[in-house]
Amino acid sequence: MMESGVSFCNSCGEQVGVDANGEAFVACHECFFPICKACVDYEISEGRSVCLRCGNPYAADKIRGKDATKVPGNQSTMAAQISTSQDVGLHARHISTVSTVDSELNDESGNPIWKNRVESWKEKDKKNKKKKTAPKAENEAPVPQEQQMEEMEPSSEAAAAEPLSIIIPVSKSKLGPYRTVIIMRLVILGLFFHYRVTHPVDSAFGLWLTSIICEIWFAFSWVLDQFPKWSPINRVAYTDRLSARFEREGEPSQLAAVDFFVSTVDPLKEPPLITANTVLSILAVDYPVDKVSCYVSDDGAAMLSFESLVETADFARKWVPFCKKFSIEPRAPEFYFSQKIDYLKDKVQPSFVKERRAMKRDYEEYKVRINALVAKAQKTPDEGWTMQDGTSWPGNNSRDHPGMIQVFLGHSGAHDIEGNELPRLVYVSREKRPGYTHHKKAGAENALVRVSAVLTNAPYILNLDCDHYVNNSKAVREAMCFLMDPVVGRDLCYVQFPQRFDGIDRSDRYANRNTVFFDVNMKGLDGIQGPVYVGTGCVFNRQALYGYSPPSMPNLPKSSSSCCCCPSKKPTKDASELYKDAKREELDAAIFNLREIENYDEYERSMLISQLSFEKTFGLSTVFIESTLMENGGVSESADPSMLIKEAIHVIGCGYEEKTAWGKEIGWIYGSVTEDILTGFKMQCRGWRSVYCMPLRPAFKGSAPINLSDRLHQVLRWALGSVEIFLSRHCPLWYGFAGGRLKVLQRLAYINTIVYPFTSLPLIAYCTLPAICLLTGKFIIPTLSNLASALFLGLFISIILTSVLELRWSGVTIEDLWRNEQFWVIGGVSAHLFAVFQGFLKMLAGVDTNFTVTAKAADDAEFGELYMIKWTTLLIPPTSLIIINLVGVVAGFSDALNGGYESWGPLIGKVFFAFWVIFHLYPFLKGLMGRQNRTPTVVILWSVLLASVFSLVWVQINPFVSKVDSAAISQTCISIDC
């Protein structure tokens, strides 16, 4: 946990830290410019012993007793200082940062500080060119990736010198009280449990014990959820500075290339028009066309998906230039034309209205063609689908077909209607054969990784679901501000964007937006080691997907690769584990030893690759293995396109991953239906960091299942994936402790992501207790004393204060918080409960559960899908709880009327907890009713059955009959003289 009032270094972005006396480190006592000790040491070693802001000398007594006015020329002194720093691996990557004040001090003649820094980079570059064969020491200063900055003209130096992004910590006035209340609530919880345990209810011991167990688990869950939010931060990216640094006028763009991945399975449940809009928004993104490639994975091998992509490629020739000419936002035509805004605002071109009308007409015609294809595909011919040339469609059997690749657009191929180049668009359908395990979406994503590496090999990958379109055309530039930064991007595995959704009702009845998670939890994780990967809207560093360790961190020792949380002193690994460790070290070393692989001839290359046994890790493809050694990506210009296509077909073969590390250490990790959580967790266990990017205009928007049944099935899938991870070897409770690269609070966050489904067991018990107490006349709490009343009051106040202060620093509304709380109960007593049982059946008994893909399109009527009710067993537990508690409330009031005045006091507490359950389940009840005559008959029958059963139980309890002592009755009978 971080102390309140933490300041961050303006050079590297890390915490400034404390000095030898335990006080906040201050380098300059004149202007108090925040800069950490590691950056100050580097400045002094480079001959710059004055403050970057005010120019005054650094205080010698604050820098380890060293005279800051002297320029140390001895490199051993600097090495000694680095060796004594605990965060050497972290700060070794910060020395190439150019702080904000550098640009403020720059004038037209150039700043000496900036000139000295550029000269030092030139000298280091010359030394590195003489030592190509040896990798850099981990404690030496890395050479910046932007060597072109050496030749910048003075006019562009200022913009290039500024950082591409900054960290904006939450203000002390908001974060200080928030942390104080968290600690206060933790203390109150301890006192509360002390009282509850030491004051049992003898008359209802079973109910009391059950409530104690549930409350302890709820407190444990709160700790797992709360403390990873201890240090929330915000980030701001500067796309204009990115352009100034990498897109100088008159020169080719130096921005890194990006490969976009779009995944689809069933075109009848994931409408081709939705997928096409996603593809069109990608092709029209505000980024150099030669740096963008879009790969569409059709894992269902449907001819409908292929034909719709043909139409989409043709329409893109009109749509892309229109978007770029008039700066259209968003660049998905369906969502652009459906906007209810003044489209003439800020559009002053006289031709805009005419061209917009023509484009809308073209789009409507395009929609007609797509809908015609969909209508045709509703009924499959007996002989299978046939392509236009008369040949049979290879994917007629979706479970047994060859691999298919089709390049529709390209940098040097098709052009738009104005003669400009278009990004590459590639259709991919991996091979499938009976007898092979294909690993669903994770396997499809790994196939795209290999195909893209062979064809384009961009250093960065952005994956999107088929229903998540690019809402902000500059989103890729936002991500590049982090990934291409020589400091921040060095140890960055991915940049995660929040998920935003269209088509959700204003009240967000079922918390589809997940606002609390994306605007609260993810900001908190960004202040630790980074947000978790949520499956879409994420830009990856390709090298991180290949299983390499971060450049600034040393390889894990052989004895530290264990997954056990309590590694023994003696090595317990078998030969296979030691072999894997050795191969991982060889792969990590290859990145540094084989940077100049283009200088080798074909024979030397094949010998090197064979010698390192890369085939046993990446598979039997020399072309793909060579691509993994190119840290900056790219494909050789002399490569034969036909040969590359042939190799791409080879790497998507269903047997390619056999006896390799794919899905185990490389790419998307197998073993869970929520492969996203598992993939991000493996990366961060290796020491990688991630970044959360929240631009003002949402980067991506998608469709969410807004009706109750689909929403519960979606939550069921997520919860089942968490249970699978919990029962696997990758469980955060014991995996990756030996390396020590996953921070404690980050591990708590991952533990929370895999244990939250188990909260369903105590939750459903706790929601049943109020009804049982009302029906039996017993209660889980004894007669309250003044101390107990104070503890209960303090607990409720601390809960309210925590929520209010959380809303204050996050900007989330109270309605979002309440909806999230309601659906936590609804999902907990339904989907999470089923996920726990299905997870154990799948992992222990081998009984697999098949999930249907959630429909991505709604009815024509606005929010029409909200009122659709599809019968599912997930509706049974919440329905039962509602009926039980309603029956209990009626029974409680009836008993109080029969019992007299003294019965009303205990009734208040019981009814309060019963209404707590009913209010939380109210959105479920409202969704269950739907519109008039839309409630399924099965639900009505189930409700009547449950009401009858519990009514009979209530009658058996006889609440209206006063309890009479049988001994007194017998004594009365004896005294009567008959």
Side-chain angles (χ1 to χ4, degrees), residues 597 599-609 622-623 626:
I597 192 169
N599 297 332
Y600 296 108
D601 58 28
E602 188 66 28
Y603 176 76
E604 291 173 330
R605 266 203 299 261
S606 62
M607 288 296 294
L608 284 169
I609 293 173
T622 304
V623 176
E626 288 184 10

Side-chain angles (χ1 to χ4, degrees), residues 536-610:
T536 184
C538 188
V539 186
F540 284 96
N541 181 341
R542 189 183 283 268
Q543 293 296 317
L545 279 173
Y546 288 157
Y548 294 113
S549 298
S552 67
M553 286 196 172
N555 298 330
L556 287 173
K558 293 182 179 180
S559 60
S560 300
S561 300
S562 163
C563 297
C564 181
C565 58
C566 300
S568 60
K569 295 182 179 179
K570 295 182 180 180
T572 57
K573 291 187 171 185
D574 56 18
S576 62
E577 290 176 330
L578 292 174
Y579 176 80
K580 289 179 181 178
D581 290 339
K583 291 299 139 188
R584 176 57 47 207
E585 290 183 358
E586 289 176 353
L587 292 176
D588 285 333
I591 287 295
F592 303 101
N593 294 334
L594 300 180
R595 287 182 186 276
E596 304 296 333
I597 192 169
E598 289 86 355
N599 297 332
Y600 296 108
D601 58 28
E602 188 66 28
Y603 176 76
E604 291 173 330
R605 266 203 299 261
S606 62
M607 288 296 294
L608 284 169
I609 293 173
S610 177

Side-chain angles (χ1 to χ4, degrees), residues 30 73 191 273 303 423 508 589 737 778 801 874 895 932 978:
E30 296 295 333
L191 297 175
L273 189 62
M303 185 173 171
D508 193 13
F737 270 93
K778 303 181 184 299
L801 284 177
L874 297 178
D895 194 30
Q932 188 177 6
C978 297

Side-chain angles (χ1 to χ4, degrees), residues 493-507:
C493 55
Y494 58 82
V495 174
Q496 178 66 61
F497 291 88
Q499 292 186 21
R500 305 300 188 202
F501 300 98
D502 288 316
I504 299 177
D505 62 305
R506 183 175 299 176
S507 63

Side-chain angles (χ1 to χ4, degrees), residues 439 443 446-447 450 653-664 670:
H439 302 290
N446 284 338
R450 297 191 294 271
C654 56
Y656 183 84
E657 295 181 357
E658 294 292 320
K659 298 180 181 180
T660 66
W662 285 101
K664 303 180 185 70
Y670 304 149

Side-chain angles (χ1 to χ4, degrees), residues 913-930:
F913 286 109
F915 275 109
W916 180 91
V917 176
I918 294 172
F919 286 154
H920 277 78
L921 294 176
Y922 173 72
F924 172 85
L925 180 62
K926 191 174 180 180
L928 196 65
M929 293 299 100

Side-chain angles (χ1 to χ4, degrees), residues 739-861:
R741 296 182 173 184
L742 193 68
K743 296 187 177 181
V744 176
L745 294 183
Q746 192 80 6
R747 186 175 296 277
L748 284 183
Y750 275 110
I751 292 174
N752 187 42
T753 62
I754 57 110
V755 302
Y756 78 89
F758 296 96
T759 306
S760 60
L761 301 175
L763 183 61
I764 199 168
Y766 209 74
C767 290
T768 309
L769 285 177
I772 297 176
C773 291
L774 287 166
L775 291 170
T776 60
K778 303 181 184 299
F779 201 34
I780 59 176
I781 300 174
T783 304
L784 294 180
S785 62
N786 292 334
L787 175 62
S789 300
L791 286 175
F792 277 99
L793 184 61
L795 183 59
F796 280 112
I797 291 176
S798 65
I799 292 173
I800 295 172
L801 284 177
T802 305
S803 301
V804 169
L805 293 174
E806 200 167 85
L807 297 178
R808 188 173 171 224
W809 66 254
S810 65
V812 176
T813 64
I814 191 170
E815 183 181 10
D816 292 327
L817 188 67
W818 174 237
R819 291 300 186 198
N820 182 76
E821 181 77 11
Q822 285 180 313
F823 199 79
W824 173 73
V825 176
I826 295 172
V829 299
S830 57
H832 298 173
L833 182 67
F834 279 77
V836 171
F837 288 105
Q838 291 181 5
F840 276 96
L841 285 175
K842 181 177 181 180
M843 302 303 293
L844 302 180
V847 179
D848 195 2
T849 305
N850 293 323
F851 290 97
T852 57
V853 179
T854 306
K856 304 300 183 183
D859 294 342
D860 293 335

